[in-house]
């Protein structure tokens, strides 16, 4: 069972990516998604927040990093970051669906 992903989660991750140079964004995006997954598993197992990544939401994981101010949706860099988040999120969800059941 995963936590739902809300629009604010995508925005928070995109804002974290916007705050770093373009060549660091993919790595940071994957780190945030991995941290959120780690936290979600920890919360299910232990019944409490992960000490570093929080409650398993993307927003909590993203907020470990500096976030750029929220720009308008027509900002090209913000759109690029948002697309990156959505692409990586879709890939992670596809991988989760195709993984063998435990």
């Amino acid at each position: 069972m995963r936590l739902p992903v809300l629009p604010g989660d995508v925005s928070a991750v995109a804002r974290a990516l916007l705050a770093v140079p373009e060549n660091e964004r993919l790595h940071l995006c994957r780190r945030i998604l991995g941290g959120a997954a780690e936290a979600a598993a920890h919360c299910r197992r232990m019944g409490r927040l992960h000490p570093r990544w929080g409650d398993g939401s993307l927003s909590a994981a993203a907020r470990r990093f500096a976030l750029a101010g929220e720009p308008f949706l027509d900002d090209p860099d913000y759109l690029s970051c948002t697309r990156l988040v959505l692409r990586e999120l879709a890939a992670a969800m596809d991988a989760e669906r195709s993984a063998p059941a435990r």
Side-chain angles (χ1 to χ4, degrees), residues 12 18-21 24 32 42 55 58 60 73 84 87 93 102:
L18 193 57
V20 299
E24 296 177 21
I32 291 170
H42 175 87
D55 63 7
L58 290 176
L73 289 174
L84 174 59
R87 191 170 51 247
M93 291 170 68
R102 292 188 208 195

Side-chain angles (χ1 to χ4, degrees), residues 15-93:
R15 290 171 54 209
L17 301 182
L18 193 57
V20 299
E22 188 174 352
N23 65 335
E24 296 177 21
R25 291 176 180 167
L26 178 60
H27 174 74
L28 179 58
C29 186
R30 289 177 177 170
R31 185 171 180 204
I32 291 170
L33 267 62
E38 182 180 326
H42 175 87
C43 289
R44 282 192 303 274
R45 260 191 337 270
M46 308 301 280
R48 62 178 180 266
L49 299 178
H50 187 280
R52 174 176 293 158
W53 297 106
D55 63 7
S57 70
L58 290 176
S59 182
R63 290 176 189 283
R64 285 198 61 240
F65 303 92
L67 302 184
E70 189 152 5
F72 291 106
L73 289 174
D74 63 350
D75 180 298
D77 287 333
Y78 183 62
L79 282 174
S80 176
C81 291
T82 301
R83 282 193 299 267
L84 174 59
V85 174
L86 293 173
R87 191 170 51 247
E88 289 298 310
L89 183 58
M93 291 170 68

